[in-house]
Amino acid sequence: MEVTVIPNHTCHGVFAALLCPGHRPRNAAATRTAILDAARERFAAESYDDVGMRDIARDVGVDAALISRYFGSKDDLFLAALDSCTDGSTLMSGDKADFGLRVANEIVFEPKTAEKLKGMAIMLRSIGSTKAAEIVQTTCSARFFNPLEEWISGPDAPVRARLLAGFIMGMSVSRELGGGGFNMDLADCEKMRDRLAPILQGLIDG
Amino acid sequence: MEVTVIPNHTCHGVFAALLCPGHRPRNAAATRTAILDAARERFAAESYDDVGMRDIARDVGVDAALISRYFGSKDDLFLAALDSCTDGSTLMSGDKADFGLRVANEIVFEPKTAEKLKGMAIMLRSIGSTKAAEIVQTTCSARFFNPLEEWISGPDAPVRARLLAGFIMGMSVSRELGGGGFNMDLADCEKMRDRLAPILQGLIDG
DNA sequence: CGGTCATGTCAACGCATGGTGACTTATCGT
DNA sequence: ACGATAAGTCACCATGCGTTGACATGACCG
């Protein structure tokens, strides 16, 4: 029996978007950034190995082959997604005097999908995968470790930077291990923040 | 053209092990533990997704099918490997007064394959994999978080335990991101230890 | 020595993945 | 209005995975 296959969208023209909801007008640049956005979101939520090209393609509403065309290999896409994140410098944009409190607040209270920490979320998700490890290590050094080390710029800056980075990442991992949250009530979260802030600040001050 | 396939080992008898190096006498219990050891080692070095049943089988010198026979699914093997690790209680076996220094020393100077931290290495490697996440979370709570929380047993024990666990794991992650080490000379490593120890100790003392 | 059962191997299945080239279709300049 | 070309889709490939059931074989018991 012959079945008539209905293509995804037969509508066209300038009103296509109105007549046919979900229709994406043909626009390479827009599609490219849509893919990049979806990839960033996926890689922040799942590990390199768990994210499939077809998953990202489905999120965007596009064929997986198009991703390969635009970004090359999966490695290239992963790197592009990581590069498209706001880097660690946003953590260092404010005043040094209240760095500890600012960061502690973000770690404890901001949802894990906070834009500022999305790059770190991606790195933590895929740090275990050997295929992504090299990219993660390189990016982390270039966009997080080194700027932090330069920014704090006191005695033993490398040591203090490594401790800071480790603590920040560790709290993210800890939250992840708790199943996406710290599983504590508000009062305990505040206590955690109040204990964490001076520790971080102490590493900043020297 | 017919080729004669030589089986792995045609030797037999009580002297087989002597006559035929690499020969493993048939012993279910010994083979089982050999598989478990190999799995533990693999899972500590690579993520859940990167470790293949055939890899472990090759390490042991056994067919992959045998692993399925002994342990069931890959999940079951992963859980068994994790359970076979010395748990976090070894960190708490000593005196509370020098916990900070002891742990800081282990974190900074012990090789990442240290037996005491192997369980944590496995968890960190596979925390990103959705297929292993649930097992990791459950095991981590049961064998690390909860004992630690109970052991420190002061005011705000949950908060302090989470911070401690986060810091310890974070330093492990940080070392991993550095490419398997902190990339610092001995003097800096000692400085790191000397800064880390009092922070950990402070969380123990309350 | 010979049978027997546990122990281990082999070949294959079904599935999912990343990637590729040929094809279709919408868009835009003329 | 129409053809050229960019934009997107489709079918497919090679590969690797975990797992299974049928088969081989070595160690032990009588």
Side-chain angles (χ1 to χ4, degrees):
Chain A
M1 170 176 136
E2 286 286 323
V3 292
T4 308
V5 176
I6 302 175
N8 280 343
H9 300 100
T10 55
C11 53
H12 53 85
V14 291
F15 296 122
L18 291 175
L19 297 172
C20 184
H23 177 93
R24 173 184 306 281
R26 288 194 167 186
N27 180 338
T31 304
R32 212 190 120 95
T33 70
I35 291 172
L36 199 57
D37 291 346
R40 198 171 47 240
E41 218 64 33
R42 277 274 175 188
F43 282 126
E46 298 168 75
S47 78
Y48 180 89
D49 300 288
D50 284 339
V51 173
M53 305 289 267
R54 289 168 173 85
D55 297 329
I56 301 173
R58 204 178 311 117
D59 291 343
V60 183
V62 143
D63 192 273
L66 200 62
I67 304 182
S68 292
R69 234 229 251 312
Y70 279 166
F71 290 93
S73 72
K74 188 182 178 183
D75 275 19
D76 297 329
L77 175 63
F78 181 74
L79 179 59
L82 205 44
D83 277 340
S84 75
C85 294
T86 62
D87 68 356
S89 66
T90 55
L91 288 178
M92 315 166 205
S93 59
D95 190 357
K96 266 189 191 172
D98 65 346
F99 175 91
L101 189 57
R102 270 189 295 123
V103 175
N105 260 317
E106 274 181 21
I107 289 175
V108 177
F109 291 111
E110 288 292 317
K112 65 178 174 182
T113 53
E115 283 303 323
K116 280 190 192 172
L117 298 174
K118 188 152 289 182
M120 201 160 63
I122 294 178
M123 294 193 261
L124 287 177
R125 277 262 178 249
S126 296
I127 179 65
S129 166
T130 55
K131 285 196 282 289
E134 191 183 331
I135 295 174
V136 169
Q137 286 171 22
T138 306
T139 303
C140 189
S141 289
R143 317 249 333 243
F144 188 55
F145 267 160
N146 297 346
L148 184 63
E149 186 174 327
E150 191 178 354
W151 184 65
I152 64 175
S153 76
D156 308 330
V159 172
R160 288 154 53 217
R162 265 158 239 264
L163 284 166
L164 264 177
F167 289 177
I168 293 173
M169 290 187 294
M171 294 315 296
S172 295
V173 172
S174 179
R175 176 172 51 197
E176 205 58 43
L177 275 173
F182 288 110
N183 287 333
M184 298 190 306
D185 57 28
L186 181 61
D188 277 343
C189 283
E190 286 175 350
K191 284 178 187 168
M192 173 178 270
R193 179 202 56 195
D194 294 339
R195 282 179 181 270
L196 181 57
I199 294 176
L200 299 179
Q201 191 63 43
L203 287 167
I204 288 287
D205 295 336
Chain B
M1 167 179 140
E2 287 286 323
V3 292
T4 308
V5 176
I6 303 176
N8 279 342
H9 298 100
T10 57
C11 54
H12 53 84
V14 290
F15 295 120
L18 292 175
L19 297 172
C20 184
H23 178 94
R24 172 187 305 283
R26 289 195 166 186
N27 180 338
T31 303
R32 212 191 120 95
T33 70
I35 291 171
L36 199 58
D37 291 347
R40 198 170 46 239
E41 219 64 32
R42 277 273 175 189
F43 282 125
E46 297 167 75
S47 77
Y48 180 90
D49 299 287
D50 284 338
V51 173
M53 305 291 267
R54 289 169 174 86
D55 297 329
I56 302 173
R58 205 178 312 118
D59 291 343
V60 183
V62 136
D63 192 273
L66 200 63
I67 304 183
S68 290
R69 235 232 253 306
Y70 279 167
F71 290 91
S73 73
K74 189 182 178 184
D75 275 20
D76 296 331
L77 175 63
F78 181 75
L79 179 59
L82 204 45
D83 276 341
S84 75
C85 293
T86 62
D87 66 358
S89 66
T90 56
L91 288 178
M92 315 168 205
S93 59
D95 191 356
K96 266 188 191 172
D98 64 345
F99 175 92
L101 189 58
R102 270 190 294 123
V103 175
N105 260 317
E106 273 182 21
I107 289 176
V108 177
F109 291 111
E110 289 291 318
K112 65 177 174 180
T113 53
E115 283 302 324
K116 280 190 194 171
L117 298 174
K118 188 152 288 183
M120 201 159 64
I122 294 179
M123 293 195 261
L124 286 177
R125 277 259 177 254
S126 296
I127 177 67
S129 165
T130 55
K131 286 195 282 288
E134 191 183 331
I135 295 173
V136 168
Q137 287 172 21
T138 306
T139 304
C140 188
S141 290
R143 315 247 335 241
F144 189 54
F145 266 161
N146 297 346
L148 184 62
E149 186 174 325
E150 190 178 356
W151 184 64
I152 64 176
S153 74
D156 307 329
V159 172
R160 287 152 54 216
R162 266 158 238 263
L163 284 166
L164 265 176
F167 288 176
I168 293 173
M169 291 188 293
M171 294 316 295
S172 296
V173 172
S174 179
R175 176 172 52 198
E176 205 59 41
L177 274 174
F182 288 110
N183 288 331
M184 297 191 306
D185 58 26
L186 182 60
D188 276 344
C189 283
E190 287 174 349
K191 283 177 187 169
M192 174 178 270
R193 180 202 54 194
D194 294 338
R195 282 178 180 270
L196 181 57
I199 294 176
L200 299 180
Q201 191 64 44
L203 287 168
I204 288 288
D205 296 336

